[in-house]
């Protein structure tokens, strides 16, 4: 799921919220939230705007 979330965020080309990612992937919001938490912990995503996330450079 983490890989799918990162791929979706890269393809969007703009910061996204967890809800937007869940809609784009047609995935369960709880699964996306879990992936976001793991990605944040790993430093793979950053928040350039409040409540929005983007892949780390």
């Amino acid at each position: 799921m983490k890989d799918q979330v990162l791929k979706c965020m890269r393809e969007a080309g703009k910061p996204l919220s967890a809800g937007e990612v869940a809609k784009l992937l047609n995935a369960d919001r709880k699964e996306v939230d879990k992936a976001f938490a793991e990605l944040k912990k790993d430093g793979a995503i950053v928040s350039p705007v409040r409540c929005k996330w983007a892949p780390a450079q």
Side-chain angles (χ1 to χ4, degrees), residues 3-57:
D3 292 334
Q4 292 174 333
V5 168
L6 273 176
K7 183 180 178 198
C8 176
M9 294 174 95
R10 285 189 184 113
E11 288 175 356
K14 64 178 183 173
L16 299 171
S17 68
E20 291 170 326
V21 172
K23 279 184 185 177
L24 289 170
L25 293 176
N26 288 324
D28 182 37
R29 171 68 189 259
K30 289 182 182 180
E31 299 235 351
V32 173
D33 285 338
K34 185 178 174 184
F36 263 53
E38 292 175 17
L39 289 166
K40 285 182 229 176
K41 195 168 91 174
D42 295 343
I45 59 175
V46 294
S47 181
V49 184
R50 185 174 177 215
C51 299
K52 303 274 184 168
W53 295 87
Q57 297 294 335

